[in-house]
Amino acid sequence: MNTGALIIGDELLSGKRQDKHMPALIRLLAERGMKLAWVEYLGDDPARIEAALRRAFASGDLVFSFGGIGATPDDHTRACAARALDEPLQVHPEAKVLIEGRFGADAYPHRINMGTLPASARLIPNPVNQMPGFSCGDVHFVPGFPNMAWPMVAWVLDTQYRALFSDHPDVEQGCIAIDAREGDLITLMQEFVARYPTLRFSSLPNFGTDAIPQMHIEFGFSGQPALVAIALGEWRKALLAKGYEVRDKPAG
């Protein structure tokens, strides 16, 4: 099961706000030995949101959707999720209790909309103001406010996806080949990709930096630690055999 994210809001695409959710999600996943596979940014366009959610529900991935679940006219995510699932929107009874308990008579006519959810929705508790997020299958909807969203994501991971946690998270290690050109090494790269299909291989050419003024290529392997160490050791030997100067990849 891959993990993805939908990050919703015109303010992100216009540059009025900078996204903080992706780096936070990467960190939350890494703490549990998991990785983020994909991210999609969306404006407040209901048709695009619905289409993205249809793909998310059909993907079989674990997906977190950030934003658009409030009570204002530009909060389309709840209705889009219902349409993507071909389900009716209805007031969730537990959400109704939470919203009425917090706002009393002021829950109506607008705030109650935060509890109007797809019929199959399950609630995600909000530790900040009790206004819940919700889950439908493996797609989980949280607010756009970071102080609310990130604890809610952690709760979802810790209560529903412990089977995906790893005590041995993937690592990335690499090396640098001085005066190397990608075109001269494509065949060797192809051999290693075929030899280590479960690892991710990267090649990043550079025309020179202050630290390394010569043209060079930074190579990397990412995956399970033991296999990465073996692959990198063989790769370094192969580069040395071809006459390249090989250096350690700088930390960070």
Side-chain angles (χ1 to χ4, degrees):
M1 175 180 279
N2 289 320
T3 302
L6 301 173
I7 303 176
I8 299 169
D10 282 346
E11 67 277 8
L12 298 172
L13 300 184
S14 69
K16 290 181 180 178
R17 289 187 180 178
Q18 298 297 311
D19 171 51
K20 298 179 180 178
H21 292 304
M22 185 174 72
L25 182 57
I26 290 171
R27 174 179 54 78
L28 288 165
L29 293 170
E31 289 171 352
R32 293 157 175 82
M34 301 171 64
K35 293 179 65 176
L36 185 62
W38 58 266
V39 174
E40 186 171 351
Y41 287 92
L42 300 164
D44 295 316
D45 180 331
R48 288 185 181 276
I49 296 171
E50 180 182 340
L53 287 172
R54 286 188 181 273
R55 293 192 297 271
F57 287 124
S59 69
D61 289 346
L62 162 59
V63 180
F64 291 97
S65 175
F66 296 86
I69 63 172
T72 58
D74 60 343
D75 289 317
H76 304 293
T77 304
R78 292 175 287 100
C80 292
R83 290 195 297 272
L85 289 164
D86 299 314
E87 294 181 1
L89 275 174
Q90 60 188 39
V91 177
H92 191 288
E94 295 174 50
K96 180 175 182 288
V97 170
L98 289 168
I99 295 168
E100 289 180 343
R102 179 169 175 79
F103 297 108
D106 290 336
Y108 298 89
H110 302 300
R111 290 187 174 96
I112 194 64
N113 289 332
M114 291 185 286
T116 304
L117 307 175
S120 65
R122 313 180 310 276
L123 297 190
I124 301 173
N126 182 335
V128 176
N129 69 358
Q130 289 73 58
M131 296 301 98
F134 66 97
S135 302
C136 295
D138 290 308
V139 182
H140 307 277
F141 299 84
V142 297
F145 299 105
N147 65 324
M148 300 179 190
W150 302 345
M152 295 166 77
V153 168
W155 181 88
V156 169
L157 292 170
D158 291 341
T159 60
Q160 301 178 41
Y161 294 97
R162 285 191 173 273
L164 300 181
F165 293 7
S166 173
D167 293 331
H168 304 286
D170 288 354
V171 300
E172 181 178 357
Q173 297 180 9
C175 65
I176 292 172
I178 305 299
D179 290 326
R181 292 172 172 78
E182 285 186 311
D184 298 330
L185 290 167
I186 289 176
T187 299
L188 185 63
M189 294 184 205
Q190 291 173 335
E191 291 175 2
F192 270 74
V193 169
R195 189 182 305 174
Y196 294 97
T198 63
L199 298 182
R200 293 187 180 182
F201 175 83
S202 63
S203 172
L204 182 64
N206 195 301
F207 289 99
T209 64
D210 291 341
I212 305 176
Q214 308 101 311
M215 178 181 289
H216 59 274
I217 303 176
E218 181 177 311
F219 297 104
F221 292 91
S222 60
Q224 289 299 300
L227 195 58
V228 165
I230 294 170
L232 180 59
E234 292 187 357
W235 180 252
R236 292 177 69 105
K237 289 179 182 178
L239 291 174
L240 290 168
K242 287 184 173 292
Y244 292 104
E245 178 187 348
V246 179
R247 299 183 186 177
D248 292 335
K249 181 178 174 180

